[in-house]
Amino acid sequence: MNISNSTTEDEQVYAGVFGCVMVIGLPLNAVALWILLRRHSLKSPHAVFMVNLAFSDLLLIISLPMRIYFHATGTWPLSNMACLIITMLFRDNIRSSAMFITFISVDRLLAVVYPLRSRHLRTSSNAWKGAAFVWSFMLVVNIPESLDFLEHLQDHSQLIYLQIVLLVTMLAVNIVCTIMVSWTLHRHLSDSAKVNNKMKVMLVFVMNLVLFAMFLPVPIGMAAQYKKIKPLVCLTVSNCCLDPLLYYFSFDSFWRKNENCR
């Protein structure tokens, strides 16, 4: 009886966590997406990646009501296909968010370390090509993963190991970008105004690394068949509430229209 009560209480906690993430994350990301589309030119590659990141978070958030219902009631009223879609939205958010964040880090690296030589690379056209690649990759990965999920109705798949490799690789790229940008800014910025700008730039990279720390626990836990995976899922889902901070620190003036935000 005590085990049953404890399990029920845990499920209620999970429902509460997902509810808080939805209540906080939905308006934050919706407003951020509106501001990015309305006030910042999509000619900026940086803005293109931000818009796609916000869209990825919103796709995850719209799946949370059914997760909340499941944990609150202990029943699943929909089909296995609906369960599959919600599961894929969660996994795709980890992968797509990690890829868009990596693109953002590389874009900032090119802008700070190689501002002149990278101008032909840092175009909105190339940014949209990168975004198209990310979403195409999601579709390709979802096909075998969905078939495996429907066949076994479990979370374990060989693709989990591929996801871990991809996440660790992208984390390494973000760390390298952070080190190179920090070294460049340290060499060339000295006065107080520029130091303040340096702090804003470095906050973007710090946020990126924090978000990666939230992405990795779930696939690692799944690969290790860790039984208490749900707390890790709660941690990962909460990244939707932190991404808007990334948008704020990424632009000199997030709220003011800026047509040349490069």
Side-chain angles (χ1 to χ4, degrees):
M1 179 66 69
N2 291 334
I3 295 177
S4 178
N5 289 338
S6 175
T7 302
T8 301
E9 290 176 0
D10 289 343
E11 294 298 320
Q12 295 295 326
V13 170
Y14 299 145
V17 171
F18 290 136
C20 291
V21 171
M22 185 180 68
V23 170
I24 297 172
L26 180 60
L28 285 179
N29 282 279
V31 171
L33 184 60
W34 181 84
I35 292 173
L36 287 168
L37 291 173
R38 185 71 181 270
R39 297 178 178 271
H40 293 274
S41 172
L42 289 182
K43 294 179 180 179
S44 162
H46 202 49
V48 170
F49 295 134
M50 292 290 183
V51 165
N52 281 275
L53 181 58
F55 181 70
S56 175
D57 286 341
L58 287 173
L59 286 178
L60 173 63
I61 290 171
I62 63 176
S63 73
L64 291 182
M66 289 312 304
R67 281 184 176 269
I68 295 169
Y69 180 87
F70 172 74
H71 289 294
T73 65
T75 60
W76 182 257
L78 303 179
S79 64
N80 288 340
M81 182 58 68
C83 179
L84 167 66
I85 293 172
I86 289 176
T87 301
M88 289 301 105
L89 285 175
F90 170 71
R91 294 184 182 182
D92 284 347
N93 177 260
I94 295 178
R95 292 185 281 247
S96 60
S97 294
M99 294 178 79
F100 286 126
I101 286 172
T102 302
F103 274 128
I104 290 169
S105 292
V106 173
D107 176 73
R108 293 296 85 191
L109 167 70
L110 294 175
V112 174
V113 182
Y114 309 106
L116 297 179
R117 284 184 286 175
S118 67
R119 290 186 66 86
H120 69 286
L121 295 174
R122 298 183 58 251
T123 64
S124 60
S125 175
N126 286 337
W128 282 114
K129 289 177 183 177
F133 167 78
V134 171
W135 294 116
S136 298
F137 179 78
M138 296 300 105
L139 291 175
V140 171
V141 171
N142 281 351
I143 294 173
E145 195 168 29
S146 298
L147 293 175
D148 180 76
F149 182 87
L150 289 174
E151 181 179 355
H152 301 99
L153 292 179
Q154 61 185 11
D155 290 333
H156 306 301
S157 168
Q158 294 299 321
L159 289 173
I160 295 298
Y161 297 100
L162 173 61
Q163 179 167 298
I164 294 174
V165 171
L166 289 174
L167 288 174
V168 171
T169 301
M170 288 186 285
L171 174 60
V173 172
N174 278 268
I175 292 174
V176 171
C177 290
T178 302
I179 294 173
M180 292 182 66
V181 169
S182 177
W183 180 75
T184 301
L185 292 177
H186 179 73
R187 286 185 58 193
H188 297 290
L189 299 184
S190 57
D191 60 72
S192 58
K194 291 183 177 180
V195 168
N196 184 52
N197 184 60
K198 172 186 176 181
M199 294 299 297
K200 290 180 179 179
V201 172
M202 292 310 302
L203 277 172
V204 174
F205 288 94
V206 171
M207 286 295 302
N208 288 351
L209 295 178
V210 169
L211 291 169
F212 262 93
M214 300 171 70
F215 294 148
L216 280 167
V218 168
I220 292 176
M222 292 172 64
Q225 299 187 18
Y226 182 59
K227 293 182 179 180
K228 295 183 179 181
I229 196 72
K230 290 178 182 177
L232 302 180
V233 173
C234 293
L235 173 66
T236 300
V237 169
S238 62
N239 82 85
C240 297
C241 300
L242 295 181
D243 282 341
L245 293 177
L246 183 62
Y247 312 145
Y248 176 80
F249 290 121
S250 293
F251 294 108
D252 293 333
S253 179
F254 180 67
W255 299 98
R256 188 173 64 249
K257 187 173 183 179
N258 187 351
E259 297 296 337
N260 296 311
C261 187
R262 291 288 181 112

